[in-house]
């Protein structure tokens, strides 16, 4: 399994609206892509800024390509991202999942 992470930030004021936007765009697209095994959206607010980390799980690199296209290192953005994001990574990071507690719990 492959874990894909991306980081971005909004103003604290826009944080709740951005969560809703994530649910309607990237997180929805994850669920619709064959080979997606789930996702987490994490938020940390400090002062007037909210930082987000999105972690998605994929059965294989081929599944990541179905979502991201051929250049899987490039972040996927949506039309309103410019309105919300005050900082964002243009690339993502992939990790090989070497332990999954959910899989152990269901075994």
């Amino acid at each position: 399994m492959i874990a894909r992470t991306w980081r971005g930030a909004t103003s604290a004021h826009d944080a709740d609206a951005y969560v809703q936007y994530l649910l309607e765009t990237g997180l929805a697209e994850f669920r619709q892509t064959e080979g997606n095994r789930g996702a987490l959206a994490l938020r940390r607010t400090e002062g007037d800024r909210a930082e987000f980390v999105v972690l998605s799980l994929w059965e294989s690199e081929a599944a990541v390509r179905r979502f991201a296209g051929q250049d899987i290192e490039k972040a996927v953005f949506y039309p309103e991202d410019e309105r919300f994001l005050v900082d964002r990574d243009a690339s993502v990071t992939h990790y090989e999942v070497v332990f999954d507690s959910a899989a152990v719990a269901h075994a």
Side-chain angles (χ1 to χ4, degrees), residues 15-89:
D16 288 340
Y18 187 65
V19 169
Q20 185 60 42
Y21 182 67
L22 281 174
L23 290 169
E24 296 167 359
T25 56
L27 297 173
E29 195 170 339
F30 292 164
R31 289 190 304 272
Q32 296 168 4
T33 303
E34 181 186 347
N36 178 257
R37 296 293 179 237
L40 295 171
L42 311 175
R43 177 175 71 188
R44 178 178 70 156
T45 303
E46 286 192 14
D48 64 349
R49 182 179 166 117
E51 181 178 341
F52 290 86
V53 174
V54 177
L55 182 141
S56 55
L57 299 171
W58 303 90
E59 69 182 18
S60 65
E61 199 171 286
V64 175
R65 279 194 174 77
R66 284 192 284 276
F67 166 72
Q70 286 305 306
D71 185 359
I72 64 170
E73 302 300 321
K74 185 177 176 183
V76 174
F77 293 106
Y78 296 91
E80 294 295 313
D81 284 336
E82 284 292 324
R83 180 170 78 87
F84 286 110
L85 296 170
V86 297
D87 187 23
R88 63 183 175 182
D89 289 347

